[in-house]
Amino acid sequence: MASETVVEAAERRTPAKVAARVLRVLLGVLFVVSAMAKLVAIDDFELYVFSYGFVPLNVTYILARLCIAGEALLGVMIVTGWWRRWVNLAVLAVLLLFSLFLCYAALIGRDDSCRCMGRLAEMPPAVSLLKNAVLIVVTLFVMKMERGRAESKRHTARKAVVTAVVAVVSTVAVFAISVPDNWLFGDEEMLYDKELLQETVSERGLDGGHKLVAFVTPGCPYCMMSREKIGMIARRHDLDTTAIVYIEPADIGAQRFMDLTYGSRPLVVLIDNGTPVGTCHYRNIDERNIAEFLPKQ
């Protein structure tokens, strides 16, 4: 019996099996790192998800964070080796579904980064597909090498409880670290010089009909993301883009720009026949409000 135990232990330590275990841990770490990278660059990831127009902006905030929490949980489960069969199947399903999505992105002409590694690495669809192919091969190799290794049935109930706790903690942590914009920011009004705004709107011939006027500065990341977000809303709802106007300091003078905006930017203002009726900043842009306010093409 003792000799059989030694043989079994030796078999478990074959180079292939050791490599499989190392690769499994590295795969899990990669999933966790990928989740954290997306969380750090959550604005970019949100915009990427929203750019496809599958879900409204408010749903995008929630969906992006659920994806991150799920990826982090999956990474932790891969590293622990718990529920190996189901976790491996889940990994394959995620990789295959994401690969199908990337194929769709390539077919419609998207060549921008999928943001799967946040800002750590730029990965257009073709590169990300290659990465997924490698990860699928690694997962299949791990499954094959660990197939004969029986998973302990001991403490199954305890593992289930710990897994549930990790799932809840990872989800709560993601939402606590990065609170969705539509939870944290409501319809708060921006401070600005109303009289100077109306003068500027009148001078630039923007006092007729419904207009969205955004005061932005070059190089400001939130200004650039505001333009992207507003542009996506316009395309999604087929809005009249001539009713969307961006004003920079060079357009009206730096001092006037600062006096008008009180130095806050981006300042987005909805104008109804020359009269401001609402303002927002990058964080509380309301898709429905803009879509209902601006004219269609």
Side-chain angles (χ1 to χ4, degrees), residues 11-25:
E11 288 178 350
R12 288 198 297 271
R13 297 193 189 99
T14 61
K17 291 184 181 296
V18 172
R21 183 173 297 186
V22 171
L23 287 173
R24 172 168 56 79
V25 173

Side-chain angles (χ1 to χ4, degrees), residues 40-116:
V40 170
I42 187 66
D43 293 317
D44 295 337
F45 186 51
E46 287 173 347
L47 279 176
Y48 183 77
V49 174
F50 181 58
S51 68
Y52 285 87
F54 296 142
V55 294
L57 183 58
N58 284 343
V59 177
T60 298
Y61 299 136
I62 310 301
L63 181 61
R65 286 161 179 79
L66 288 177
C67 287
I68 291 171
E71 186 175 25
L73 172 63
L74 198 55
V76 171
M77 290 298 100
I78 295 170
V79 171
T80 63
W82 290 0
W83 321 109
R84 280 192 298 275
R85 180 171 181 270
W86 297 109
V87 168
N88 286 334
L89 290 176
V91 170
L92 287 177
V94 168
L95 292 173
L96 289 172
L97 287 174
F98 185 45
S99 296
L100 289 175
F101 168 75
L102 290 171
C103 289
Y104 166 76
L107 285 174
I108 64 174
R110 294 286 296 260
D111 59 358
D112 51 325
S113 175
C114 64
R115 301 298 178 188
C116 60

Side-chain angles (χ1 to χ4, degrees), residues 26-37:
L26 291 176
L27 181 64
V29 170
L30 179 63
F31 268 69
V32 173
V33 169
S34 175
M36 294 304 100

Side-chain angles (χ1 to χ4, degrees), residues 98-149:
F98 185 45
S99 296
L100 289 175
F101 168 75
L102 290 171
C103 289
Y104 166 76
L107 285 174
I108 64 174
R110 294 286 296 260
D111 59 358
D112 51 325
S113 175
C114 64
R115 301 298 178 188
C116 60
M117 292 299 294
R119 296 175 184 171
L120 292 178
E122 292 290 319
M123 288 192 176
V127 176
S128 196
L129 275 170
L130 179 59
K131 177 207 68 176
N132 284 0
V134 172
L135 295 183
I136 288 173
V137 170
V138 169
T139 303
L140 291 173
F141 172 73
V142 170
M143 291 177 69
K144 180 179 179 180
M145 289 297 102
E146 295 189 336
R147 182 180 300 163
R149 181 183 166 200

Side-chain angles (χ1 to χ4, degrees), residues 190 197 200 204 212-231 244-258 260-269 280-282 285:
M190 296 281 285
L197 172 68
T200 302
R204 299 183 70 84
L212 183 152
V213 180
F215 293 86
V216 297
T217 56
C220 166
Y222 293 107
C223 294
M224 291 187 286
M225 286 190 285
S226 294
R227 296 182 75 140
E228 288 185 50
K229 190 178 289 186
I230 293 169
I244 301 173
V245 179
Y246 298 97
I247 296 179
E248 299 182 358
D251 298 325
I252 59 175
Q255 188 58 53
R256 186 172 191 174
F257 185 95
M258 293 296 291
L260 191 158
T261 64
Y262 292 165
S264 299
R265 79 270 188 226
L267 166 64
V268 181
V269 189
C280 59
H281 48 77
Y282 170 73
I285 290 176

